[in-house]
């Protein structure tokens, strides 16, 4: 069972590194009203998705308020420039609330990174991009969370409903081997109390359990 979970985590990690993204399309008001749900989630409609995308690390791209950190308003201010480059869309690296500068250890999937601005700032950026015919996709990190995510904190309790959100093992589990290493050499099992949890990237990024 643990071996299967490790394989699942590895496959998810590879997919994430290849760019797991969420699409937001550019539709007219009439098209939006006529469309049911989220039309760009139709996986057969590839014409809406293909094109040239400019990848943006928001933190270092454009700082609108002089605090030394790039932000959504900075991206908005550069949309005309990006349009002139001839791109079809922008690809945002992680923008959810996170412990780290890179954002790949999410602490809240329902919030944008406060360093980058507010949800209103993000929505404004999205609207302005769509006005210019620029699609927006984003990294959505679902292979793992931060070890400070409320789910993981709760999962430390063996009786918690969140326990199975992650992969936990006891030292005497026959499938457990503390010497296991990821394909790039990092330690995969990390001790917490009397148990071990699986985190392919680091102890700060426990893998979610999709088994």
């Amino acid at each position: 069972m643990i071996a299967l979970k490790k394989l699942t985590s590895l496959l998810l990690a590879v997919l994430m590194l290849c760019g797991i993204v969420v699409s937001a399309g550019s539709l007219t008001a009439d098209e939006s009203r006529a469309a049911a749900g989220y039309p760009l989630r139709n996986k057969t409609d590839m014409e809406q998705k293909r094109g040239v995308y400019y990848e943006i690390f928001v933190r270092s791209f454009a700082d609108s308020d002089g605090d030394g950190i790039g932000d959504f308003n900075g991206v908005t201010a550069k949309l005309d420039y990006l349009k002139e480059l001839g791109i079809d869309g922008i690809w945002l690296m992680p923008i959810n609330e996170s412990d780290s500068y890179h954002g790949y250890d999410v602490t809240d999937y329902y919030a944008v990174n406060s360093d980058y601005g507010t949800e209103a700032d993000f929505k404004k950026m999205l609207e302005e991009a769509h006005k210019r015919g620029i699609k927006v996709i984003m990294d959505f990190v679902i292979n793992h969370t931060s070890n400070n995510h409320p789910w993981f904190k709760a999962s430390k309790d063996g009786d918690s409903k969140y326990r199975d959100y992650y992969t936990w093992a006891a030292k005497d589990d026959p499938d457990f081997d503390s010497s296991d290493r990821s394909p790039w050499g990092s330690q995969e099992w990390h001790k917490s109390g009397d148990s071990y949890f699986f985190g392919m990237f680091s102890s700060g990024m426990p893998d979610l359990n999709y088994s």
Side-chain angles (χ1 to χ4, degrees):
M1 180 63 71
I2 289 178
L4 178 60
K5 290 179 179 178
K6 289 176 61 179
L7 177 59
T8 302
S9 295
L10 176 59
L11 290 173
L12 285 167
V14 170
L15 286 172
M16 183 192 70
L17 291 173
C18 290
I20 295 180
V21 296
V22 175
S23 294
S26 178
L27 301 174
T28 66
D30 289 339
E31 287 173 329
S32 295
R33 282 191 292 269
Y38 297 90
L40 293 188
R41 292 184 180 176
N42 177 1
K43 301 302 182 183
T44 63
D45 189 5
M46 295 310 296
E47 285 300 323
Q48 286 274 26
K49 296 176 171 57
R50 63 168 54 105
V52 176
Y53 286 77
Y54 188 107
E55 186 173 13
I56 293 176
F57 181 38
V58 176
R59 183 174 296 275
S60 65
F61 183 68
D63 175 13
S64 70
D65 55 12
D67 66 355
I69 299 174
D71 45 49
F72 298 130
N73 289 334
V75 176
T76 302
K78 294 291 185 180
L79 288 174
D80 287 335
Y81 160 72
L82 292 169
K83 184 65 176 179
E84 289 175 4
L85 294 179
I87 65 167
D88 299 292
I90 55 177
W91 172 1
L92 304 178
M93 291 176 68
I95 61 168
N96 289 110
E97 199 67 79
S98 169
D99 287 327
S100 64
Y101 77 94
H102 51 70
Y104 281 96
D105 47 351
V106 176
T107 57
D108 187 350
Y109 288 107
Y110 293 96
V112 296
N113 193 320
S114 56
D115 285 346
Y116 300 163
T118 66
E119 185 174 341
D121 293 334
F122 173 72
K123 289 180 177 179
K124 179 66 175 177
M125 182 208 72
L126 196 62
E127 291 169 1
E128 292 299 322
H130 289 171
K131 285 179 183 178
R132 293 163 174 79
I134 298 175
K135 303 170 190 175
V136 180
I137 62 176
M138 58 178 275
D139 273 323
F140 188 54
V141 188
I142 57 172
N143 177 72
H144 52 262
T145 69
S146 165
N147 62 344
N148 286 320
H149 194 290
W151 295 345
F152 183 72
K153 289 181 176 181
S155 78
K156 293 181 180 182
D157 178 352
D159 296 323
S160 170
K161 68 177 183 179
Y162 295 101
R163 184 71 169 184
D164 287 340
Y165 277 39
Y166 301 86
T167 301
W168 290 88
K171 190 174 184 179
D172 58 357
D173 190 309
D175 291 327
F176 169 71
D177 185 349
S178 62
S179 66
D180 284 347
R181 292 291 183 271
S182 72
W184 43 87
S186 62
Q187 183 177 339
E188 293 183 330
W189 291 100
H190 312 278
K191 196 173 190 308
S192 178
D194 295 327
S195 302
Y196 292 80
F197 65 89
F198 185 79
M200 182 174 289
F201 286 96
S202 77
S203 60
M205 301 179 186
D207 283 41
L208 286 165
N209 176 16
Y210 287 92
S211 297

